Amino acid sequence: MLAPTPPMGWNSWNTFGGDVNEEVVRQTADAFLDTGLKDAGYEYVVIDDCWSLRERGPDGRIVADPDKFPSGMKALADDVHAKGLKFGMYSCAGTQTCAGYPGSYANEEPDAQTFAEWGVDFLKYDYCYKPAGTDGKALYRRMGQALRQTGRPILYSMCNWGQDEPWKWAASCGAHMWRTTGDIVDSWKSIQEIGFGQAGLECYAGPNRWNDPDMLVVGLYGKGNVGFAGGCADAEYRTHFGLWCLLASPLMIGCDVRSMTAFVHDLLTAREAIAINQDPLGVQARRIGEAWLHGEVWAKPLADGSVAVGLFNRTDSEPRLIPLPWESLGLHDRREAIVRDLWTCEDIGAFRGSYVAQVAPHDCALVRVRPCL
Ligand code: GLA
């Protein structure tokens, strides 16, 4: 299995957009090691759109832009591998990528072969410029088959923005993860719409098959390619990261990891939050308490019999007390359980019947409830 737990890594798009180049990729890989991201579990360094020349070569092969990638993709992949990391790239099911570079339509086999020769471990496959009358599922199946045919294990990240309910068929095309929505931007509105909008998709996720609510905007603070009107506050990024951990979402960092603030670093490496994302049971959280005075409660069962719970305050200015009755977790009222704060990695205490969290506006409490024996 290539993705027994949700894939973790970094993708160039949210910060760099069309300005990606090999220096950024190398320095990002270095930062994975220097800042502890690799030790925290981040593994894939992925180049998104805008890496190739506008035209294919005379042999029909796709060509890396020599100005942006003077060493070539094979050498760059080797460098990334030498650091113990994995190398990801991007193409598109249509005739062009979304930014107008060559897509893989009708070139699936040679392109998959090129990626395999370069040492690519991860392919994000987009959906722009699909020729009229073609069937999207068939195009995704074609690239899935072409990737398998190379004989190289390549994680297949499907990006059709949630069209045609991909959660129902993407895995059968060989995809290990699939986007469930349009593109995220660096705003509280976007985080909420996408994150809380995942309710109901939990039954489609599991080991090797993950719903993907798009890459993280944690740490953009309004800058970069999807930066937006000042970006988000720290509490909002905490909600974003906590929710993506609960959702068993792929954790693809989008900020510039060469210059993270201490807060962003500590959030992206939050050990016990990542542990619930990477829990081997692979269950995606479901909403168990809805819109109680703008509070929401989401629960993710874990392999050891405990349950991870996020308590979210979606009001704009009011702190809220958000209750978590044991009944909503399937626990008997009289059962004693230990509640642990997964942000501070400390036990809060033993509780019977329920727990109540005080949560600041736009923030979230992230706890684990472990029934006592
Ligand atoms: C689409 C995808 C994004 C990104 C861009 C690149 O919009 O959804 O994630 O890959 O294309 O052009």
Side-chain angles (χ1 to χ4, degrees):
M1 250 196 254
L2 274 182
T5 59
M8 295 173 67
W10 171 91
N11 174 299
S12 59
W13 186 252
N14 283 358
T15 290
F16 295 96
D19 289 332
V20 65
N21 60 57
E22 69 175 50
E23 213 41 40
V24 164
V25 173
R26 278 213 187 84
Q27 289 172 0
T28 296
D30 286 339
F32 266 49
L33 274 61
D34 298 342
T35 64
L37 287 175
K38 182 185 178 204
D39 289 340
Y42 295 93
E43 178 177 30
Y44 290 96
V45 178
V46 180
I47 300 170
D48 207 279
D49 204 348
C50 309
W51 58 265
S52 76
L53 287 180
R54 296 267 177 192
E55 302 296 334
R56 289 175 177 270
D59 56 357
R61 289 279 175 133
I62 206 159
V63 184
D65 183 333
D67 290 333
K68 293 176 178 171
F69 298 94
S71 311
M73 288 301 180
K74 172 84 175 77
L76 187 55
D78 288 349
D79 285 352
V80 170
H81 290 149
K83 296 183 170 93
L85 300 170
K86 291 184 173 155
F87 184 64
M89 289 193 69
Y90 164 101
S91 188
C92 185
T95 53
Q96 293 177 50
T97 71
C98 298
Y101 293 83
S104 291
Y105 177 74
N107 283 286
E108 291 86 354
E109 292 189 10
D111 286 357
Q113 196 55 45
T114 300
F115 294 136
E117 285 166 12
W118 286 345
V120 168
D121 307 296
F122 178 114
L123 181 71
K124 174 175 169 181
Y125 205 49
D126 218 333
Y127 202 48
C128 284
Y129 296 101
K130 183 173 83 70
T134 54
D135 172 29
K137 289 180 207 173
L139 299 187
Y140 278 105
R141 190 170 303 118
R142 241 196 249 172
M143 184 49 99
Q145 174 62 25
L147 290 173
R148 272 195 307 284
Q149 233 167 269
T150 67
R152 183 177 175 86
I154 299 178
L155 193 150
Y156 188 21
S157 164
M158 209 184 101
C159 178
N160 84 336
W161 321 308
Q163 291 187 16
D164 307 319
E165 305 184 307
W167 40 89
K168 293 187 177 166
W169 50 268
S172 75
C173 297
H176 301 92
M177 55 191 266
W178 47 85
R179 281 272 295 277
T180 55
T181 69
D183 290 10
I184 196 167
V185 297
D186 183 22
S187 75
W188 173 235
K189 182 170 180 283
S190 180
I191 289 171
Q192 288 191 86
E193 275 172 12
I194 291 184
F196 295 115
Q198 300 302 298
L201 298 184
E202 56 272 5
C203 55
Y204 300 102
N208 230 25
R209 40 183 306 149
W210 307 104
N211 290 311
D212 174 11
D214 206 358
M215 304 170 295
L216 299 168
V217 292
V218 172
L220 291 186
Y221 294 111
K223 298 203 199 74
N225 187 44
V226 305
F228 195 78
C232 298
D234 288 349
E236 295 165 344
Y237 287 138
R238 183 162 40 234
T239 292
H240 175 24
F241 192 71
L243 185 52
W244 264 237
C245 285
L246 285 162
L247 291 172
S249 161
L251 296 178
M252 301 301 288
I253 298 172
C255 69
D256 187 344
V257 296
R258 303 169 305 175
S259 56
M260 291 178 280
T261 63
F263 171 81
V264 168
H265 170 270
D266 294 352
L267 181 61
L268 291 174
T269 56
R271 191 165 32 91
E272 297 195 4
I274 291 175
I276 62 160
N277 175 266
Q278 295 290 303
D279 184 76
L281 196 60
V283 173
Q284 175 176 329
R286 76 198 156 85
R287 180 154 55 196
I288 59 168
E290 206 169 335
W292 180 85
L293 295 175
H294 304 290
E296 294 204 15
V297 184
W298 290 63
K300 179 185 200 300
L302 303 174
D304 69 356
S306 64
V307 185
V309 180
L311 302 108
F312 299 90
N313 178 356
R314 295 180 65 182
T315 61
D316 290 331
S317 56
E318 300 284 314
R320 286 268 184 249
L321 290 173
I322 304 181
L324 171 62
W326 276 192
E327 191 190 359
S328 67
L329 298 175
L331 287 177
H332 195 282
D333 277 358
R334 286 194 296 274
R335 166 72 79 178
E336 191 176 38
I338 308 290
V339 176
R340 184 175 177 82
D341 185 330
L342 298 180
W343 295 131
T344 62
C345 302
E346 282 167 0
D347 286 351
I348 298 169
F351 296 81
R352 237 179 252 279
S354 69
Y355 168 72
V356 181
Q358 162 123 13
V359 186
H362 296 191
D363 211 336
C364 88
L366 189 64
V367 300
R368 194 186 61 207
V369 179
R370 187 193 296 280
C372 300
L373 293 176

